[in-house]
Amino acid sequence: MNQTENKTQVSNVAKEGDESYLREYLASEFRYGVSQARVHVAKKIDKLGMRSSDTAQIFFKDVRVPSKNLIGEEGKGFTYQMLQFQEERLWGVATVLTSLKTIIEETIDYIRQRKMFNQSVLQNQAVHFRLAELATEVELLRSLLYRTVALYVEGNDVTMAKLKAGCLAREVTDSCLQFWGGMGFISEVLVSRFYRDWRLTSIVSGTDETMISIIHKYMETLPRKRYTSTLP
């Protein structure tokens, strides 16, 4: 038996202080054999995006888990998490693709009806040129995803697709929101939600900066560390 005192963030939790619900959830749903668990749910975290998924800190103290319910090797939890990152990153790319295509289509529909200077905003060359560029970038990301899946099956890395998805999610949502004008700043419209929700793509499952570092590693272009002697 192991006694642990952990703090972790989880999604879709019960309301603050609903400890009995969580004990029952841990014991019956996952069947971890939790005995005499003391569980405390902290205040729900107010997030920028992904607001339909509640996130809060849950504190576990003196939670006893039978060794027969141990999944994998003890102490290797972080390693297992790292190993599944590749598939999580692929899922992220596939998920954001549909949303980006949708928001471009909705933006076209809206600005076709929106009038400025007695003509549709869509008639502005700068606007429809930009939308054409964004649509092309989304299709390029789709092709990159297909190529990356094939490479992953052969045991290769998926970092480039994840990096591109994060950057393009910010680019598309920001450009489309701009075309909506003041309406884009209202929470009720879809472009506003995507602008907030998909900002997470460049953070979750490894930040853009982490992805770039990994790519540098595979390209063997990382600068070597230089050590300066302190001797006279």
Side-chain angles (χ1 to χ4, degrees):
M1 300 286 188
N2 294 318
Q3 290 189 344
T4 61
E5 184 171 352
N6 299 323
K7 180 175 72 173
T8 186
Q9 291 186 341
V10 299
S11 296
N12 300 322
V13 299
K15 63 182 180 180
E16 181 180 0
D18 192 358
E19 300 178 4
S20 61
Y21 171 84
L22 283 170
R23 282 197 296 269
E24 181 180 352
Y25 181 75
L26 288 169
S28 62
E29 281 296 314
F30 289 105
R31 302 186 184 281
Y32 285 166
V34 177
S35 175
Q36 296 180 347
R38 286 188 283 174
V39 183
H40 173 69
V41 186
K43 181 181 178 181
K44 187 176 76 171
I45 298 172
D46 187 18
K47 300 178 296 184
L48 170 68
M50 299 295 180
R51 301 178 68 85
S52 62
S53 173
D54 290 347
T55 302
Q57 289 182 320
I58 300 182
F59 296 85
F60 299 89
K61 185 176 182 180
D62 298 329
V63 176
R64 302 176 67 85
V65 181
S67 57
K68 65 179 182 180
N69 291 341
L70 181 66
I71 299 176
E73 185 178 345
E74 185 176 357
K76 291 296 184 65
F78 180 74
T79 301
Y80 297 147
Q81 172 70 9
M82 295 294 292
L83 290 173
Q84 67 85 38
F85 264 149
Q86 294 290 309
E87 294 175 3
E88 183 178 333
R89 288 165 181 164
L90 279 176
W91 172 87
V93 177
T95 303
V96 79
L97 263 173
T98 302
S99 296
L100 297 183
K101 183 175 183 293
T102 298
I103 202 59
I104 291 174
E105 292 172 348
E106 290 218 357
T107 299
I108 292 172
D109 290 341
Y110 176 72
I111 62 177
R112 178 178 281 120
Q113 303 172 32
R114 185 184 176 203
K115 303 291 184 180
M116 289 187 68
F117 305 110
N118 298 318
Q119 68 173 2
S120 167
V121 174
L122 188 60
Q123 297 301 312
N124 187 301
Q125 187 181 74
V127 174
H128 60 247
F129 272 28
R130 179 58 175 155
L131 289 169
E133 291 173 347
L134 294 176
T136 302
E137 289 294 320
V138 170
E139 289 308 310
L140 287 172
L141 178 61
R142 190 187 309 279
S143 296
L144 177 59
L145 172 62
Y146 295 160
R147 169 65 173 161
T148 303
V149 171
L151 289 172
Y152 175 67
V153 171
E154 298 174 357
N156 294 294
D157 189 75
V158 307
T159 304
M160 286 185 177
K162 166 64 168 61
L163 174 64
K164 180 62 177 178
C167 295
L168 190 59
R170 301 202 309 274
E171 185 179 0
V172 170
T173 54
D174 184 73
S175 293
C176 287
L177 188 147
Q178 187 71 20
F179 295 149
W180 281 68
M183 280 296 296
F185 205 65
I186 299 175
S187 297
E188 284 77 3
V189 297
L190 194 60
V191 67
S192 175
R193 176 179 176 181
F194 282 175
Y195 180 84
R196 291 181 285 108
D197 285 355
W198 293 122
R199 183 61 181 82
L200 186 64
T201 311
S202 287
I203 301 173
V204 74
S205 303
T207 64
D208 286 357
E209 292 76 17
T210 300
M211 298 300 99
I212 291 172
S213 296
I214 294 173
I215 294 170
H216 276 308
K217 177 182 176 182
Y218 285 114
M219 293 176 66
E220 298 183 351
T221 57
L222 276 175
R224 295 183 178 182
K225 292 182 178 180
R226 295 180 179 180
Y227 297 93
T228 303
S229 175
T230 58
L231 297 176

